[in-house]
Amino acid sequence: MFSRHRISVVMAALAFCLFSTQAFAFELEMPGDSLAKRKAKVTAGSGWLTQGAEILPMNRKAFEFRAGFPSTDFGVHIPVAKSFELIPFWTLDYLPYGVWFGVLGDTAGVSLKGRVWSKGPHSISLGADIGLIMMYLPGFNIGVQIGGPEFRYSHRWNKPRIAVITGFRMPIRVWGLAVSAEIPMLFNIGFEYNVIKNLNIHSNLEFGPTVVAAPGGVAGVGGHAGFQFGISYLF
């Protein structure tokens, strides 16, 4: 025969189990949930990132803005498959790679990002970009940017939603008038943090050597370091 103390313990345990079961059932997707509710569960909240190796949900897009050196950047992330997205971009350029003097130019093009591996909080992507580059000051020039390969690794946490990002990229630039090529080899590290449901902040630091080539051979090797801070808005 149970004592009063044992009966109290059993009743407390039953109450706890009942409460836990109800809380768990509340979180489950019930058969009567509408399609809109199920879609909202997938896309709402802070489960999105732009700067790392992850890809946006198919029914969403994100605008990004970054300011700093060597440029101010604007872009739109457009997912076209579950693991692949296009990023049309435009940048205002005022510092060349590996050369420490001011210029004025811009670049317009598109970046490609494909996630090749993902497990838990870890993701890896490969990418490339191609664009038209223009130089206005100190002299006019025109060329193409052929960036790649670009490697990104990101590790994210969910509470709070923050990711640490690292990688490597080679935004190769080939100039047509004053014939030359810039071959930056840049390592980068940064973070992205979800501030509110549709707004993230992010920053990145990149550094590495830049080889400048001309028709006669290698014209020189310089060092590059850049830093940018920006925002991304989900819509």
Side-chain angles (χ1 to χ4, degrees), residues 135-180:
M135 182 78 70
Y136 308 112
L137 295 173
F140 181 78
N141 205 346
I142 186 171
V144 293
Q145 175 170 301
I146 308 170
E150 179 176 305
F151 168 85
R152 295 189 195 189
Y153 164 79
S154 59
H155 179 98
R156 61 172 168 78
W157 293 265
N158 288 324
K159 294 182 180 180
R161 182 77 173 191
I162 188 170
V164 175
I165 303 153
T166 187
F168 175 82
R169 70 187 189 106
M170 293 177 62
I172 300 169
R173 296 186 154 207
V174 180
W175 296 98
L177 298 182
V179 180
S180 63

Side-chain angles (χ1 to χ4, degrees), residues 119-139:
K119 185 176 181 181
H122 309 279
S123 290
I124 292 176
S125 70
L126 297 177
D129 62 74
I130 185 167
L132 177 68
I133 53 177
M134 304 285 288
M135 182 78 70
Y136 308 112
L137 295 173

Side-chain angles (χ1 to χ4, degrees), residues 22-30 41:
Q22 288 177 333
F24 179 70
F26 180 79
E27 292 296 327
L28 288 177
E29 182 178 299
M30 295 293 104
K41 288 182 180 181

Side-chain angles (χ1 to χ4, degrees), residues 37-221:
K37 285 183 179 180
R38 292 197 298 269
K39 187 177 290 186
K41 288 182 180 181
V42 175
T43 60
S46 56
W48 64 280
L49 296 167
T50 58
Q51 303 302 297
E54 298 190 1
I55 305 297
L56 291 178
M58 281 294 293
N59 60 333
R60 309 305 294 266
K61 298 178 180 64
F63 169 79
E64 68 177 10
F65 166 78
R66 294 189 298 266
F69 291 95
S71 61
T72 295
D73 304 349
F74 303 84
V76 179
H77 290 250
I78 305 173
V80 295
K82 185 178 179 181
S83 299
F84 185 78
E85 64 184 26
L86 300 176
I87 311 166
F89 68 87
W90 178 76
T91 70
L92 178 63
D93 308 322
Y94 35 78
L95 184 67
Y97 291 108
V99 182
W100 295 94
F101 62 83
V103 299
L104 178 61
D106 65 352
T107 305
V110 62
S111 295
L112 315 174
K113 183 171 72 170
R115 187 180 60 213
V116 297
W117 180 79
S118 179
K119 185 176 181 181
H122 309 279
S123 290
I124 292 176
S125 70
L126 297 177
D129 62 74
I130 185 167
L132 177 68
I133 53 177
M134 304 285 288
M135 182 78 70
Y136 308 112
L137 295 173
F140 181 78
N141 205 346
I142 186 171
V144 293
Q145 175 170 301
I146 308 170
E150 179 176 305
F151 168 85
R152 295 189 195 189
Y153 164 79
S154 59
H155 179 98
R156 61 172 168 78
W157 293 265
N158 288 324
K159 294 182 180 180
R161 182 77 173 191
I162 188 170
V164 175
I165 303 153
T166 187
F168 175 82
R169 70 187 189 106
M170 293 177 62
I172 300 169
R173 296 186 154 207
V174 180
W175 296 98
L177 298 182
V179 180
S180 63
E182 303 167 9
I183 310 173
M185 293 168 277
L186 305 177
F187 299 91
N188 55 71
I189 186 169
F191 78 91
E192 183 170 5
Y193 173 66
N194 178 246
V195 181
I196 57 176
K197 177 181 175 181
N198 285 60
L199 182 68
N200 287 2
I201 61 173
H202 42 77
S203 70
N204 71 285
L205 170 69
E206 61 179 10
F207 53 90
T210 298
V211 177
V212 180
V218 175
V221 178

Side-chain angles (χ1 to χ4, degrees), residues 3-22:
S3 66
R4 290 184 179 180
H5 175 70
R6 288 179 180 177
I7 292 175
S8 299
V9 171
V10 171
M11 293 300 294
L14 288 173
F16 175 79
C17 292
L18 179 61
F19 175 80
S20 301
T21 303
Q22 288 177 333

